[in-house]
Amino acid sequence: MKSYTGIIFKKELLDIFRDRRSIVMTFLLPLVLYPLMFWFMGSQQAAHFDGPSETVIASSSAAFRALLEDSFFDGASVSVVETDDPVAALRDGSADVAVSADGGLFRIIYDANKTSSSMSVSHITGLLSTYNHTAQALALAEMGISLEALAPVSFDTETLAAEEGEDPGGLGIFLSMMLPMILVLLLSTGGMATAIDLFAGEKERRTFEPLLCTAARRTDILAGKLGAVTVISLLGALTGIGGLVLGYILNPRAMTLGLDDAQGLALPPLTMLFIALIIMAMAVFFSGLHILLSTYARSVKEGSTYGTFVMLASYVPVFATMTKLGGDFEFWTAFVPVMNVTGCLKMVLAGINDFAYFGATLAVTAAFVVIVMLAGRYMFKKENIMLRA
């Protein structure tokens, strides 16, 4: 008997790509929104670590203003406004911080509810701490004493990878936190609308029953539609990653919490193969799950409700591991759906190639794909489910 899987697959893809709204929402918006989002986030993080471009200080203390005239503060991007009421200047926004003198103590007041004020106080206190350290070192040097000699303990820090002479790799803490989360969420939601339309939508349009009466076997219909949903899910994920790449090009520091530019990442061919297979298996799993729920649903509204449950359920393991780094995942997490995929992605971004973990994740994800496929095959044989209205 001739297989109609390919025919149904092509037909569904053509119908999907004829819908301009779906193309805009699935492919074009991520390419615009993600770069903008990361550009703004990167700008804020850079300002946080570099300090504000200029800090305006309102001060009633002549001693503090005289202190800032020291050559040490040249180029510190600090300006001082003399006022009798520095707190009022801080309150009305004409100054970032307020400084008053209480004997020999300078009281630095800032507004904790304003980002610019919070960053400014960190900038000022950092400058003053460095000034104190420098002045102490000079005073001791005049007496023939080294400041380092007074330290009871001398130490330095180094990563394990550097100690072992390995390239630490990785793409920054922020990227390790965000990329797995975004990718899993894109895979869990990318094919949801398509799956709902191809099953619950066809029920509402009264076109599902005629399709079941054609020469195509029900397994052909299921496989063709599953293939179309999976393709859209993968393309949506790739588009989202493309948006992240554009965001990185616009502002690399957005991916590293405003610290240094992201380090390079060299992936062995076997690692790339495992990750590609894991991502594809996860896309098929979520696509099949959405198809199952959409097949059971009586209407698009009911199918959307079920799809929302899947989306929210995928958030739990993702957010549970959001702050974990690649080396924090124990082997048992490879048997927890979604969490294992997140762990694999974080390991890869950290330069960790744990093939035992990758293999277990791929096997577990493939097992869930088989379960979903068998459940779909079972449902397609039940008239009371297929024609549920």
Side-chain angles (χ1 to χ4, degrees):
M1 179 182 293
K2 180 180 179 180
S3 174
Y4 291 89
T5 301
I7 297 174
I8 296 173
F9 174 73
K10 292 178 183 178
K11 177 259 183 190
E12 299 297 356
L13 281 183
L14 287 175
D15 287 344
I16 292 169
F17 284 105
R18 286 194 187 104
D19 187 355
R20 296 179 180 178
R21 291 172 298 181
S22 297
I23 294 176
V24 171
M25 293 294 294
T26 305
F27 305 119
L28 296 184
L29 278 183
L31 292 176
V32 176
L33 294 181
Y34 282 129
L36 287 176
M37 178 180 69
F38 280 99
W39 185 82
F40 285 115
M41 292 175 67
S43 300
Q44 293 175 358
Q45 292 295 339
H48 177 74
F49 285 100
D50 295 339
S53 57
E54 184 179 29
T55 297
V56 180
I57 304 173
S59 176
S60 59
S61 170
F64 185 79
R65 295 195 298 271
L67 172 64
L68 293 187
E69 292 177 359
D70 190 286
S71 60
F72 174 85
F73 297 96
D74 291 345
S77 300
V78 174
S79 61
V80 182
V81 177
E82 181 180 357
T83 177
D84 294 331
D85 192 353
V87 175
L90 173 63
R91 188 181 298 111
D92 63 26
S94 58
D96 298 312
V97 295
V99 178
S100 61
D102 185 3
L105 174 69
F106 293 127
R107 297 179 63 248
I108 303 175
I109 306 167
Y110 70 100
D111 189 346
N113 295 317
K114 291 184 178 179
T115 303
S116 59
S117 184
S118 298
M119 290 191 300
S120 294
V121 73
S122 297
H123 181 52
I124 293 300
T125 53
L127 287 173
L128 294 176
S129 296
T130 304
Y131 176 79
N132 286 337
H133 185 84
T134 303
Q136 291 167 358
L138 290 175
L140 290 172
E142 291 177 357
M143 294 184 290
I145 302 174
S146 171
L147 184 62
E148 288 75 16
L150 297 178
V153 178
S154 298
F155 64 91
D156 191 11
T157 60
E158 192 172 89
T159 64
L160 177 62
E163 174 67 21
E164 296 177 348
E166 299 176 357
D167 182 6
L171 292 179
I173 298 174
F174 185 58
L175 185 58
S176 177
M177 291 170 58
M178 294 298 295
L179 182 58
M181 180 186 72
I182 291 175
L183 182 59
V184 171
L185 296 185
L186 286 172
L187 290 174
S188 66
T189 59
M192 182 175 69
T194 303
I196 293 171
D197 181 69
L198 293 187
F199 289 87
E202 288 212 32
K203 284 185 178 181
E204 284 194 350
R205 294 189 296 269
R206 304 296 182 184
T207 58
F208 200 49
E209 292 87 344
L211 179 61
L212 296 176
C213 295
T214 62
R217 297 177 300 178
R218 295 193 178 186
T219 52
D220 292 331
I221 298 173
L222 174 61
K225 288 180 177 288
L226 176 61
V229 175
T230 302
V231 167
I232 296 301
S233 179
L234 287 172
L235 288 178
L238 290 175
T239 304
I241 298 302
L244 293 179
V245 172
L246 288 178
Y248 173 74
I249 293 173
L250 288 175
N251 195 337
R253 300 184 72 184
M255 301 296 187
T256 57
L257 283 175
L259 296 172
D260 297 330
D261 289 347
Q263 300 171 338
L265 179 67
L267 297 181
L270 187 58
T271 299
M272 295 178 63
L273 176 62
F274 267 114
I275 295 302
L277 291 175
I278 288 170
I279 291 175
M280 291 180 63
M282 181 58 62
V284 175
F285 168 69
F286 278 119
S287 298
L289 197 56
H290 283 304
I291 285 175
L292 287 180
L293 296 174
S294 180
T295 302
Y296 181 77
R298 296 185 180 91
S299 63
V300 171
K301 182 180 179 180
E302 185 178 344
S304 299
T305 302
Y306 295 151
T308 302
F309 292 154
V310 175
M311 180 179 65
L312 293 177
S314 69
Y315 288 176
V316 176
V318 171
F319 282 100
T321 58
M322 185 175 178
T323 57
K324 286 182 176 289
L325 298 179
D328 293 332
F329 286 84
E330 300 177 4
F331 188 74
W332 65 264
T333 60
F335 300 92
V336 181
V338 182
M339 184 182 289
N340 51 14
V341 176
T342 304
C344 288
L345 294 174
K346 285 179 177 284
M347 287 182 183
V348 168
L349 293 174
I352 301 173
N353 297 306
D354 189 342
F355 294 111
Y357 192 97
F358 297 161
T361 298
L362 181 59
V364 170
T365 307
F368 277 95
V369 169
V370 172
I371 293 172
V372 167
M373 295 293 291
L374 293 176
R377 183 179 177 184
Y378 171 81
M379 291 180 66
F380 263 61
K381 292 181 179 181
K382 297 295 181 179
E383 299 292 337
N384 60 333
I385 297 176
M386 296 296 293
L387 303 179
R388 186 171 177 265

